[in-house]
CSV table of all heavy atoms in Angstrom, one decimal:
chain,number,residue,atom,x,y,z
A,200,GLY,N,10.5,8.7,9.8
A,200,GLY,CA,9.4,7.8,9.8
A,200,GLY,C,8.6,7.8,11.1
A,200,GLY,O,7.6,7.2,11.3
A,201,ARG,N,9.1,8.6,12.1
A,201,ARG,CA,8.5,8.7,13.4
A,201,ARG,C,7.2,9.6,13.3
A,201,ARG,O,6.2,9.3,13.9
A,201,ARG,CB,9.4,9.2,14.5
A,201,ARG,CG,8.9,9.5,15.9
A,201,ARG,CD,8.7,8.2,16.7
A,201,ARG,NE,7.5,7.5,16.2
A,201,ARG,CZ,7.0,6.4,16.8
A,201,ARG,NH1,7.6,5.9,17.9
A,201,ARG,NH2,6.0,5.8,16.4
A,202,CYS,N,7.4,10.7,12.6
A,202,CYS,CA,6.3,11.6,12.4
A,202,CYS,C,5.9,11.6,10.9
A,202,CYS,O,6.7,11.5,10.0
A,202,CYS,CB,6.7,13.1,12.7
A,202,CYS,SG,7.0,13.3,14.4
A,203,SER,N,4.6,11.6,10.7
A,203,SER,CA,4.1,11.6,9.3
A,203,SER,C,4.5,12.8,8.5
A,203,SER,O,4.6,13.9,9.0
A,203,SER,CB,2.6,11.5,9.3
A,203,SER,OG,2.1,11.7,8.0
A,204,ARG,N,4.8,12.6,7.2
A,204,ARG,CA,5.2,13.7,6.3
A,204,ARG,C,3.9,14.2,5.5
A,204,ARG,O,4.0,15.1,4.7
A,204,ARG,CB,6.3,13.3,5.3
A,204,ARG,CG,7.6,13.0,6.0
A,204,ARG,CD,8.7,12.7,5.0
A,204,ARG,NE,8.4,11.5,4.2
A,204,ARG,CZ,8.1,11.5,2.9
A,204,ARG,NH1,8.1,12.6,2.2
A,204,ARG,NH2,7.9,10.3,2.3
A,205,TRP,N,2.8,13.5,5.8
A,205,TRP,CA,1.6,13.9,5.0
A,205,TRP,C,1.2,15.3,5.3
A,205,TRP,O,1.0,15.7,6.5
A,205,TRP,CB,0.5,12.9,5.3
A,205,TRP,CG,-0.7,12.9,4.3
A,205,TRP,CD1,-0.8,12.3,3.1
A,205,TRP,CD2,-1.8,13.8,4.4
A,205,TRP,NE1,-1.9,12.6,2.5
A,205,TRP,CE2,-2.6,13.5,3.3
A,205,TRP,CE3,-2.3,14.7,5.4
A,205,TRP,CZ2,-3.8,14.1,3.1
A,205,TRP,CZ3,-3.5,15.3,5.2
A,205,TRP,CH2,-4.3,15.0,4.0
A,206,GLY,N,1.0,16.1,4.3
A,206,GLY,CA,0.6,17.5,4.5
A,206,GLY,C,1.7,18.4,4.8
A,206,GLY,O,1.5,19.6,5.0
A,207,MET,N,2.9,17.9,4.8
A,207,MET,CA,4.1,18.8,5.0
A,207,MET,C,4.7,19.0,3.6
A,207,MET,O,5.0,18.0,2.9
A,207,MET,CB,5.1,18.1,5.9
A,207,MET,CG,6.3,18.8,6.2
A,207,MET,SD,7.3,18.0,7.6
A,207,MET,CE,8.2,16.8,6.7
A,208,VAL,N,4.8,20.2,3.2
A,208,VAL,CA,5.3,20.5,1.9
A,208,VAL,C,6.7,19.9,1.7
A,208,VAL,O,7.6,20.1,2.6
A,208,VAL,CB,5.4,22.1,1.6
A,208,VAL,CG1,6.0,22.4,0.2
A,208,VAL,CG2,4.0,22.7,1.7
A,209,ALA,N,6.9,19.1,0.7
A,209,ALA,CA,8.1,18.3,0.6
A,209,ALA,C,9.3,19.1,0.1
A,209,ALA,O,9.2,19.9,-0.9
A,209,ALA,CB,7.9,17.1,-0.3
A,210,PHE,N,10.4,18.9,0.7
A,210,PHE,CA,11.7,19.4,0.2
A,210,PHE,C,12.5,18.2,-0.3
A,210,PHE,O,12.6,18.0,-1.5
A,210,PHE,CB,12.4,20.2,1.3
A,210,PHE,CG,13.9,20.4,1.1
A,210,PHE,CD1,14.6,20.2,-0.1
A,210,PHE,CD2,14.7,20.8,2.2
A,210,PHE,CE1,15.9,20.4,-0.2
A,210,PHE,CE2,16.1,21.0,2.1
A,210,PHE,CZ,16.7,20.8,0.9
A,211,ALA,N,13.0,17.4,0.6
A,211,ALA,CA,13.7,16.1,0.2
A,211,ALA,C,13.0,15.0,0.9
A,211,ALA,O,13.3,14.8,2.1
A,211,ALA,CB,15.2,16.2,0.5
A,212,SER,N,12.2,14.2,0.2
A,212,SER,CA,11.3,13.2,0.8
A,212,SER,C,12.0,12.2,1.7
A,212,SER,O,11.5,11.8,2.7
A,212,SER,CB,10.6,12.5,-0.2
A,212,SER,OG,10.0,13.4,-1.1
A,213,SER,N,13.3,11.8,1.4
A,213,SER,CA,13.9,10.8,2.1
A,213,SER,C,14.6,11.3,3.4
A,213,SER,O,15.2,10.6,4.2
A,213,SER,CB,15.0,10.0,1.3
A,213,SER,OG,16.1,10.8,1.1
A,214,LEU,N,14.5,12.6,3.6
A,214,LEU,CA,15.2,13.3,4.7
A,214,LEU,C,14.3,14.1,5.6
A,214,LEU,O,14.5,14.2,6.8
A,214,LEU,CB,16.3,14.2,4.2
A,214,LEU,CG,17.5,13.5,3.5
A,214,LEU,CD1,18.1,14.5,2.5
A,214,LEU,CD2,18.5,13.0,4.4
A,215,ASP,N,13.2,14.7,5.0
A,215,ASP,CA,12.3,15.6,5.7
A,215,ASP,C,11.7,14.9,7.0
A,215,ASP,O,11.2,13.8,6.9
A,215,ASP,CB,11.1,16.0,4.9
A,215,ASP,CG,11.6,16.8,3.7
A,215,ASP,OD1,12.7,17.3,3.7
A,215,ASP,OD2,10.7,17.0,2.7
A,216,GLN,N,11.8,15.6,8.1
A,216,GLN,CA,11.1,15.0,9.3
A,216,GLN,C,10.7,16.2,10.2
A,216,GLN,O,11.4,17.1,10.4
A,216,GLN,CB,12.1,14.1,10.0
A,216,GLN,CG,11.5,13.3,11.2
A,216,GLN,CD,10.3,12.4,10.8
A,216,GLN,OE1,9.5,12.0,11.6
A,216,GLN,NE2,10.2,12.0,9.5
A,217,ALA,N,9.4,16.1,10.6
A,217,ALA,CA,8.9,17.1,11.5
A,217,ALA,C,9.4,17.0,12.9
A,217,ALA,O,9.7,15.8,13.3
A,217,ALA,CB,7.4,17.1,11.5
A,218,GLY,N,9.5,18.1,13.6
A,218,GLY,CA,10.0,18.0,15.0
A,218,GLY,C,9.7,19.3,15.8
A,218,GLY,O,9.4,20.3,15.2
A,219,PRO,N,9.8,19.2,17.1
A,219,PRO,CA,9.5,20.4,17.9
A,219,PRO,C,10.7,21.3,18.2
A,219,PRO,O,11.8,20.8,18.3
A,219,PRO,CB,9.0,19.8,19.2
A,219,PRO,CG,9.7,18.5,19.3
A,219,PRO,CD,10.0,18.0,17.9
A,220,ILE,N,10.4,22.6,18.4
A,220,ILE,CA,11.4,23.5,18.9
A,220,ILE,C,10.7,24.1,20.2
A,220,ILE,O,9.6,24.6,20.2
A,220,ILE,CB,11.7,24.6,17.9
A,220,ILE,CG1,12.4,24.0,16.7
A,220,ILE,CG2,12.7,25.7,18.6
A,220,ILE,CD1,12.8,25.0,15.6
A,221,THR,N,11.4,23.9,21.3
A,221,THR,CA,10.8,24.3,22.6
A,221,THR,C,11.9,25.0,23.5
A,221,THR,O,13.0,25.1,23.1
A,221,THR,CB,10.3,23.1,23.3
A,221,THR,OG1,11.4,22.1,23.4
A,221,THR,CG2,9.2,22.4,22.6
A,222,ARG,N,11.4,25.4,24.7
A,222,ARG,CA,12.3,26.0,25.6
A,222,ARG,C,13.2,25.0,26.4
A,222,ARG,O,14.3,25.3,26.8
A,222,ARG,CB,11.6,26.9,26.5
A,222,ARG,CG,11.0,28.1,25.7
A,222,ARG,CD,11.4,29.4,26.2
A,222,ARG,NE,10.6,29.8,27.4
A,222,ARG,CZ,9.4,30.2,27.2
A,222,ARG,NH1,8.8,30.3,26.1
A,222,ARG,NH2,8.7,30.6,28.3
A,223,ASP,N,12.6,23.8,26.6
A,223,ASP,CA,13.5,22.8,27.3
A,223,ASP,C,13.2,21.4,26.7
A,223,ASP,O,12.3,21.2,25.9
A,223,ASP,CB,13.3,22.9,28.8
A,223,ASP,CG,12.0,22.5,29.3
A,223,ASP,OD1,11.1,22.0,28.5
A,223,ASP,OD2,11.7,22.6,30.5
A,224,VAL,N,13.9,20.5,27.2
A,224,VAL,CA,13.9,19.1,26.7
A,224,VAL,C,12.5,18.5,27.0
A,224,VAL,O,11.9,17.8,26.2
A,224,VAL,CB,15.0,18.3,27.3
A,224,VAL,CG1,14.9,16.8,26.8
A,224,VAL,CG2,16.4,18.9,26.8
A,225,ARG,N,12.0,18.8,28.2
A,225,ARG,CA,10.7,18.2,28.6
A,225,ARG,C,9.6,18.6,27.7
A,225,ARG,O,8.8,17.8,27.2
A,225,ARG,CB,10.4,18.6,30.1
A,225,ARG,CG,9.1,18.0,30.6
A,225,ARG,CD,8.8,18.3,32.1
A,225,ARG,NE,9.9,17.8,32.9
A,225,ARG,CZ,9.9,16.6,33.4
A,225,ARG,NH1,8.9,15.7,33.1
A,225,ARG,NH2,10.9,16.2,34.2
A,226,ASP,N,9.6,19.9,27.4
A,226,ASP,CA,8.6,20.4,26.4
A,226,ASP,C,8.7,19.7,25.1
A,226,ASP,O,7.7,19.4,24.4
A,226,ASP,CB,8.7,21.9,26.3
A,226,ASP,CG,8.2,22.7,27.5
A,226,ASP,OD1,7.8,22.0,28.5
A,226,ASP,OD2,8.2,23.9,27.5
A,227,ALA,N,10.0,19.5,24.6
A,227,ALA,CA,10.2,18.8,23.4
A,227,ALA,C,9.6,17.4,23.4
A,227,ALA,O,8.9,16.9,22.5
A,227,ALA,CB,11.6,18.8,23.0
A,228,ALA,N,9.8,16.7,24.6
A,228,ALA,CA,9.3,15.4,24.7
A,228,ALA,C,7.7,15.4,24.7
A,228,ALA,O,7.1,14.5,24.1
A,228,ALA,CB,9.8,14.8,26.0
A,229,ILE,N,7.2,16.4,25.4
A,229,ILE,CA,5.7,16.5,25.4
A,229,ILE,C,5.1,16.7,24.0
A,229,ILE,O,4.2,16.0,23.5
A,229,ILE,CB,5.2,17.6,26.3
A,229,ILE,CG1,5.6,17.3,27.8
A,229,ILE,CG2,3.7,17.9,26.1
A,229,ILE,CD1,5.4,18.5,28.7
A,230,MET,N,5.8,17.6,23.2
A,230,MET,CA,5.3,17.9,21.9
A,230,MET,C,5.5,16.7,21.0
A,230,MET,O,4.6,16.3,20.2
A,230,MET,CB,6.0,19.1,21.3
A,230,MET,CG,5.3,20.4,21.6
A,230,MET,SD,6.0,21.8,20.7
A,230,MET,CE,5.4,21.5,19.0
A,231,LEU,N,6.6,16.0,21.1
A,231,LEU,CA,6.9,14.8,20.2
A,231,LEU,C,5.8,13.7,20.5
A,231,LEU,O,5.4,13.1,19.5
A,231,LEU,CB,8.3,14.3,20.4
A,231,LEU,CG,8.6,13.1,19.5
A,231,LEU,CD1,8.5,13.5,18.0
A,231,LEU,CD2,10.0,12.6,19.7
A,232,THR,N,5.5,13.5,21.7
A,232,THR,CA,4.5,12.5,22.1
A,232,THR,C,3.2,12.7,21.4
A,232,THR,O,2.5,11.8,20.9
A,232,THR,CB,4.3,12.5,23.6
A,232,THR,OG1,5.6,12.3,24.3
A,232,THR,CG2,3.4,11.3,24.0
A,233,SER,N,2.9,14.0,21.2
A,233,SER,CA,1.6,14.3,20.5
A,233,SER,C,1.8,14.3,19.0
A,233,SER,O,0.9,13.8,18.3
A,233,SER,CB,1.2,15.8,20.9
A,233,SER,OG,0.1,16.2,20.1
A,234,MET,N,2.9,14.7,18.5
A,234,MET,CA,3.1,14.8,17.0
A,234,MET,C,3.2,13.4,16.4
A,234,MET,O,2.8,13.2,15.3
A,234,MET,CB,4.4,15.6,16.7
A,234,MET,CG,4.3,17.1,17.0
A,234,MET,SD,6.0,17.7,17.1
A,234,MET,CE,6.6,17.2,15.5
A,235,ALA,N,4.0,12.5,17.1
A,235,ALA,CA,4.3,11.3,16.4
A,235,ALA,C,3.1,10.4,16.3
A,235,ALA,O,2.3,10.3,17.2
A,235,ALA,CB,5.4,10.6,17.3
A,236,SER,N,3.1,9.7,15.1
A,236,SER,CA,2.0,8.7,14.9
A,236,SER,C,2.4,7.9,13.7
A,236,SER,O,3.1,8.4,12.8
A,236,SER,CB,0.6,9.4,14.8
A,236,SER,OG,0.6,10.1,13.6
A,237,TYR,N,1.8,6.7,13.6
A,237,TYR,CA,1.9,6.0,12.3
A,237,TYR,C,0.7,6.6,11.5
A,237,TYR,O,-0.4,6.8,11.9
A,237,TYR,CB,1.7,4.5,12.6
A,237,TYR,CG,1.4,3.8,11.3
A,237,TYR,CD1,2.4,3.7,10.3
A,237,TYR,CD2,0.1,3.2,11.0
A,237,TYR,CE1,2.1,3.0,9.1
A,237,TYR,CE2,-0.1,2.6,9.8
A,237,TYR,CZ,0.9,2.5,8.9
A,237,TYR,OH,0.6,1.9,7.7
A,238,ASP,N,1.1,6.8,10.2
A,238,ASP,CA,0.1,7.3,9.3
A,238,ASP,C,0.1,6.5,8.0
A,238,ASP,O,1.1,6.5,7.2
A,238,ASP,CB,0.5,8.8,9.0
A,238,ASP,CG,-0.5,9.5,8.1
A,238,ASP,OD1,-1.5,8.8,7.7
A,238,ASP,OD2,-0.4,10.7,7.8
A,239,ALA,N,-1.0,5.8,7.7
A,239,ALA,CA,-1.1,5.0,6.6
A,239,ALA,C,-1.0,5.8,5.3
A,239,ALA,O,-0.8,5.3,4.2
A,239,ALA,CB,-2.4,4.2,6.6
Side-chain angles (χ1 to χ4, degrees):
Chain A
R201 178 73 288 186
C202 293
S203 169
R204 294 185 297 114
W205 194 87
M207 181 170 83
V208 176
F210 160 17
S212 309
S213 74
L214 296 154
D215 295 344
Q216 189 61 202
I220 296 177
T221 52
R222 292 241 276 288
D223 69 4
V224 176
R225 181 174 300 276
D226 287 1
I229 292 170
M230 271 189 74
L231 180 61
T232 306
S233 171
M234 289 163 57
S236 65
Y237 165 67
D238 184 357

